[in-house]
Amino acid sequence: MVNVAVLGYGTVGSGVVEVIERNNVEVSGKCGEEVHVKYILDLREFPGDPYEDKVVHDFQVILEDREVSVVCEVMGGIKFAYPYTKQLLEAGKSVCTSNKELVAKHGAELLDIAEKNHCSYLFEASVGGGIPIIRTINHAMTPERIEAVAGILNGTTNYILTKMEQEGTDYAQALKQAQDLGYAERNPQADVEGHDACRKTAILASLMTGRNVDSEKIFTEGITEITTADFAFAKGANMTIKLLGTARLQEDGSVLAMVAPHMIAENHSLAMVNGVFNGIFVTGNMLGDIMLYGHGAGKLPTASAVTADVVDCVRNQGKTLPCHWEQAECRLADVLLTSKRFFVRVKAQGCGAIEEAFPGSERLEVPGMEEKGYFTPVMTEKEFEEKYSALSEFVLGRIRVM
Ligand code: HSE
């Protein structure tokens, strides 16, 4: 019999308990022995909850119970999750988590502690919700030099952008719906400002290179400036707008990583990833492109991914499941030196100034809209930003074009 503890009884935590107990035939059957939740750690009481008798308030109870061999850390944040995870791993208990903030910041160190203590630190649910992206990179793609990962990594922002595009819902209302559905972070700024996608990009880039990619050094822009007018122009150009996280290996061994909204062709595979779904391309030098698609957020999909890690830990007790992610820092390429096209939205009286600043741009008009759109030629971010910032009296917004 394997006893599991769950740290945090929020959306994901309650999902993990539900998956382990409701799907116990599958979970225990695939582990080869009975698996049950022994403790749920939370500050709150849950009167009337079917698992209220498992709730404890003192972390030491879990740490000191030798019967607990696997712990699901689904409390989020760093303040408590970091010291708790360290202590659990040092005590030889495997930890499975959905906490991308902690994995992005301390993943390499925690993996090292797990290895020294013959247990595992697994984090399938930290990227892509229920999509098995970490397993794919760590196990299915072991022969590959992974050259790029790129995709839609945040369900909340994809839900908002889809609602804006398909139903003309305003931004605030769409965000509220995403929160009500349990997709958003406790502080939804982390979603809409791109920090959540940035942490996931850092995790994928670290796994891709085997070296630590510092999320704080990744160029990150969120979706707060995207408007329904941008979608009207995108539609006019047979395109749509998606928040993309990308990491691409450069010839000099550095990695070009960024998170930003992009205009993409409406027939691109990522344009078809809508609502809370995530879609992620991984490019291997032998395999070529694969694309993974599935629920990127939400209680049960995320909990299922955490529970898949629990099963792996139970099947491999006394061992460390390998993960190539060293603490040595990975060098990041300078985003300002990269080249691409940009879409610029401009007041009608700014057309002359734009055409002069960006010769060769393509003009786009939307019937009934006074403002105009332009696609610039390919240019570096640096050159674009210099010219764009000098046009502040005319411009209404800009989006990178993929
Ligand atoms: N807030 C995150 C999202 C949850 O919307 O993708 C899953 O990581």
Side-chain angles (χ1 to χ4, degrees):
M1 161 98 159
V2 172
N3 289 291
V4 174
V6 177
L7 310 186
Y9 203 38
T11 305
V12 181
S14 58
V16 170
V17 178
E18 191 175 334
V19 171
I20 294 179
E21 298 301 341
R22 249 179 62 190
N23 266 22
N24 201 263
V25 171
E26 286 75 15
V27 174
S28 294
K30 284 164 193 172
C31 284
E33 58 185 308
E34 280 291 309
V35 177
H36 283 291
V37 175
K38 182 166 183 184
Y39 301 115
I40 296 165
L41 181 76
D42 205 288
L43 289 173
R44 300 163 291 180
E45 300 288 351
F46 296 88
D49 185 280
Y51 306 106
E52 69 175 310
D53 58 322
K54 298 182 191 293
V55 175
V56 294
H57 306 298
D58 182 2
F59 170 69
Q60 294 301 323
V61 172
I62 295 167
L63 183 64
E64 287 164 15
D65 188 333
R66 296 169 67 93
E67 286 185 352
V68 172
S69 52
V70 183
V71 179
C72 302
E73 183 276 293
V74 285
M75 55 201 298
I78 302 277
K79 191 172 170 196
F80 295 105
Y82 179 44
Y84 287 1
T85 301
K86 261 174 125 168
Q87 290 174 66
L88 290 162
L89 295 172
E90 280 160 359
K93 298 182 195 296
S94 289
V95 177
C96 309
T97 189
S98 58
N99 187 341
K100 48 261 156 139
E101 193 178 352
L102 182 62
V103 176
K105 202 166 172 65
H106 297 290
E109 182 201 357
L110 294 168
L111 283 164
D112 196 41
I113 297 174
E115 194 174 353
K116 290 191 173 111
N117 291 281
H118 313 291
C119 56
S120 296
Y121 184 53
L122 301 185
F123 44 88
E124 182 60 74
S126 66
V127 182
I131 302 173
I133 175 73
I134 306 288
R135 259 181 194 70
T136 301
I137 292 177
N138 277 352
H139 299 289
M141 292 183 74
T142 41
E144 295 292 316
R145 182 175 71 230
I146 298 179
E147 296 181 329
V149 288
I152 295 166
L153 299 174
N154 181 270
T156 300
T157 47
N158 205 45
Y159 181 89
I160 294 171
L161 293 176
T162 304
K163 286 273 167 187
M164 288 171 80
E165 180 195 26
Q166 295 183 351
E167 295 168 27
T169 310
D170 77 29
Y171 170 85
Q173 204 187 337
L175 172 58
K176 168 85 174 52
Q177 288 172 4
Q179 284 177 289
D180 291 346
L181 290 164
Y183 303 151
E185 297 300 297
R186 251 178 304 182
N187 173 7
Q189 293 313 104
D191 294 299
V192 297
E193 285 174 1
H195 304 306
D196 179 76
C198 166
R199 289 168 187 142
K200 293 166 176 168
T201 303
I203 295 168
L204 295 180
S206 300
L207 295 177
M208 168 178 138
T209 59
R211 295 168 83 85
N212 195 55
V213 171
D214 183 348
S215 65
E216 283 166 29
K217 294 190 181 154
I218 295 181
F219 177 95
T220 299
E221 200 177 284
I223 63 160
T224 53
E225 306 290 315
I226 303 294
T227 65
T228 43
D230 290 318
F231 276 107
F233 281 102
K235 192 162 191 255
N238 299 321
M239 299 181 94
T240 188
I241 303 164
K242 294 291 185 189
L243 181 69
L244 301 183
T246 57
R248 198 168 295 281
L249 204 56
Q250 306 294 285
E251 275 181 12
D252 65 0
S254 65
V255 166
L256 176 65
M258 78 185 296
V259 172
H262 281 75
M263 267 201 192
I264 65 175
E266 69 184 10
N267 62 1
H268 191 288
S269 307
L270 291 175
M272 292 154 205
V273 176
N274 286 318
V276 71
F277 284 86
N278 284 188
I280 312 164
F281 274 99
V282 188
T283 310
N285 67 327
M286 297 289 139
L287 178 65
D289 279 344
I290 58 160
M291 183 181 164
L292 288 94
Y293 169 86
H295 282 271
K299 175 174 161 168
L300 292 176
T302 311
S304 177
V306 176
T307 309
D309 282 347
V310 171
V311 173
D312 266 359
C313 289
V314 175
R315 285 171 163 176
N316 291 280
Q317 288 181 82
K319 284 195 257 174
T320 303
L321 286 157
C323 179
H324 182 212
W325 180 352
E326 294 168 9
Q327 296 195 49
E329 198 173 330
C330 175
R331 202 157 41 85
L332 290 182
D334 186 350
V335 168
L336 282 180
L337 303 180
T338 61
S339 297
K340 56 191 71 82
R341 291 165 76 215
F342 295 82
F343 166 76
V344 181
R345 200 156 48 78
V346 64
K347 295 174 191 164
Q349 67 270 32
C351 289
I354 291 285
E355 285 166 22
E356 193 178 322
F358 299 108
S361 352
E362 244 175 79
R363 180 157 150 171
L364 184 62
E365 307 206 7
V366 170
M369 281 180 83
E370 209 179 303
E371 60 199 59
K372 309 290 175 213
Y374 283 88
F375 286 103
T376 72
V378 174
M379 58 175 58
T380 63
E381 289 257 352
K382 188 167 186 288
E383 187 189 354
F384 175 80
E385 285 305 334
E386 279 165 10
K387 291 183 170 176
Y388 182 79
S389 55
L391 295 166
S392 55
E393 63 184 297
F394 302 120
V395 292
L396 298 165
R398 57 106 178 93
I399 303 172
R400 291 166 184 83
V401 179
M402 188 167 87

